[in-house]
């Protein structure tokens, strides 16, 4: 059974339809990369799964249960954690307090302050520093670490490489690789196709709110994804 199933999801802002008829399944341990140009609807889709934006139609099924009517905090309690674009840390609070606050809503599981710091060793010397004083890469690490403190079964990551130096991106992805290898299920919104394809087991390319291309990573050629990204050759599918 899939850990996450999205069926015919629709969402928008007033008259604007940002997500149209999106369906997919994500099994335990999978890494689903959501790619697509600016405004394609990736963030809105992620927010609907997290429960911070209301879908106008369709279903979000998590571990076999329809969670469409549950608000975001209940979804965190079920094991869905989101790292939003721009990180949204409590910048005046210390890194440690940012992490401990998240633990207040934690499920039982392997993640605690100690194990999170093992996964993100770069945060160890920064624990007492105000989060706002950290570098972009350290702040991103803190945001992912904060999500882990809730002991998620599903991690939703929105543009974790945005605005970071290449070295910081390398470091964040290195930590992410550790989480993936440990079996964490991830839905990742990423503008950097190379980064996304390096970690994905499944890829969905969105265009103007719709799924333009969808498939297992190994079945998709980069060129077909690029074409779908830019709305070229919409019929192109798969490696053929
Ligand atoms: P980006 O990479 O730029 O974040 P995205 O693929 O994540 O793009 P969304 O942010 O989901 O796309 O945006 C989808 C559409 O919804 C776009 O047309 C965008 O302008 C619009 N949109 C997003 N947020 C809002 C909002 N708060 N109010 C009105 N329209 C919005």
């Amino acid at each position: 059974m899939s850990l996450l199933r999205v069926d015919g999801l629709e969402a928008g802002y007033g008259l604007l339809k940002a997500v149209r008829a999106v369906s997919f399944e994500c099994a335990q341990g999978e890494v689903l990369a959501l790619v697509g140009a600016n405004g394609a609807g990736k963030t809105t889709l992620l927010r609907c799964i997290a429960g911070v934006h209301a879908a106008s139609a369709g279903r979000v099924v998590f571990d076999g249960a329809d969670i469409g009517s549950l608000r975001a905090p209940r979804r965190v309690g079920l094991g869905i954690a989101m790292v939003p674009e721009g990180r949204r840390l409590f910048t005046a609070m210390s890194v440690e307090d940012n992490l401990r606050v998240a633990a207040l809503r934690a499920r039982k599981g392997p993640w605690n302050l100690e194990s999170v710091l093992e996964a993100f060793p770069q945060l160890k010397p920064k624990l007492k520093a105000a989060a706002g004083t950290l570098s972009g890469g350290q702040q991103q690490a803190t945001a992912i670490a904060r999500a882990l403190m809730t002991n998620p079964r599903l991690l939703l990551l929105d543009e974790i490489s945005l605005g970071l130096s290449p070295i910081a991106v390398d470091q964040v992805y290195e930590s992410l690789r550790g989480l993936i290898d440990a079996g964490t299920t991830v839905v990742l919104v990423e503008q950097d196709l190379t980064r996304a394809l390096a970690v994905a087991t499944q890829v969905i390319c969105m265009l103007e709110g719709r799924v333009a291309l969808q498939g297992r990573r190994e079945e998709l050629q980069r060129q077909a994804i690029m074409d779908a990204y830019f709305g070229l050759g919409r019929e192109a599918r798969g490696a053929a």
Side-chain angles (χ1 to χ4, degrees):
M1 187 178 62
S2 306
L3 182 63
L4 173 69
R5 202 173 85 228
V6 168
D7 275 338
L9 203 83
E10 309 257 339
Y13 307 89
L15 292 177
L16 178 86
K17 278 212 163 186
V19 174
R20 303 158 185 250
V22 170
S23 299
F24 64 85
E25 292 193 32
C26 189
Q28 175 96 40
E30 268 204 278
V31 179
L32 168 64
L34 284 176
V35 301
N38 281 344
K42 308 175 300 292
T43 294
T44 306
L45 175 57
L46 216 57
R47 287 164 54 86
C48 288
I49 298 168
V52 291
H53 188 84
S56 52
R59 300 201 313 155
V60 178
V61 178
F62 183 67
D63 200 15
D66 187 335
I67 58 168
S69 62
L70 301 184
R71 288 178 174 276
R74 289 283 307 281
R75 298 191 197 194
V76 174
L78 290 176
I80 300 178
M82 178 160 167
V83 178
E85 188 179 329
R87 306 183 277 267
R88 309 274 170 85
L89 294 174
F90 301 111
T91 51
M93 280 166 50
S94 69
V95 169
E96 181 172 352
D97 286 346
N98 269 275
L99 300 178
R100 289 198 186 280
V101 162
L104 297 175
R105 285 200 173 272
R107 302 167 65 246
K108 287 203 188 330
W111 295 108
N112 51 41
L113 192 60
E114 203 176 31
S115 54
V116 153
L117 291 175
E118 287 305 311
F120 293 92
Q122 66 270 44
L123 296 181
K124 278 185 193 168
K126 297 288 177 185
L127 267 185
K128 302 296 175 199
T133 66
L134 268 53
S135 70
Q138 290 164 342
Q139 289 194 26
Q140 191 63 74
T142 306
I144 300 174
R146 182 177 64 176
L148 287 178
M149 289 291 283
T150 66
N151 273 301
R153 301 167 70 194
L154 173 65
L155 196 53
L156 307 173
L157 303 177
D158 196 359
E159 304 271 17
I160 53 173
S161 60
L162 203 68
L164 301 186
S165 69
I167 291 171
V169 176
D170 282 348
Q171 222 175 31
V172 167
Y173 267 86
E174 203 178 298
S175 300
L176 182 59
R177 170 53 66 193
L179 305 182
I180 291 168
D181 290 347
T184 312
T185 310
V186 178
V187 179
L188 173 79
V189 170
E190 178 57 83
Q191 291 267 352
D192 184 332
L193 204 53
T194 303
R195 299 271 182 194
L197 296 185
V199 293
T201 57
Q202 196 186 156
V203 179
I204 289 180
C205 183
M206 290 182 72
L207 180 73
E208 295 167 3
R210 297 186 187 281
V211 173
L213 185 69
Q214 180 168 16
R216 315 249 5 125
R217 167 65 191 98
E218 68 275 12
E219 293 167 355
L220 295 176
Q221 281 187 353
R222 190 185 170 95
Q223 189 57 49
I225 300 170
M226 293 294 288
D227 288 350
Y229 196 105
F230 293 111
L232 305 168
R234 288 173 195 219
E235 72 286 353
R237 195 176 190 287

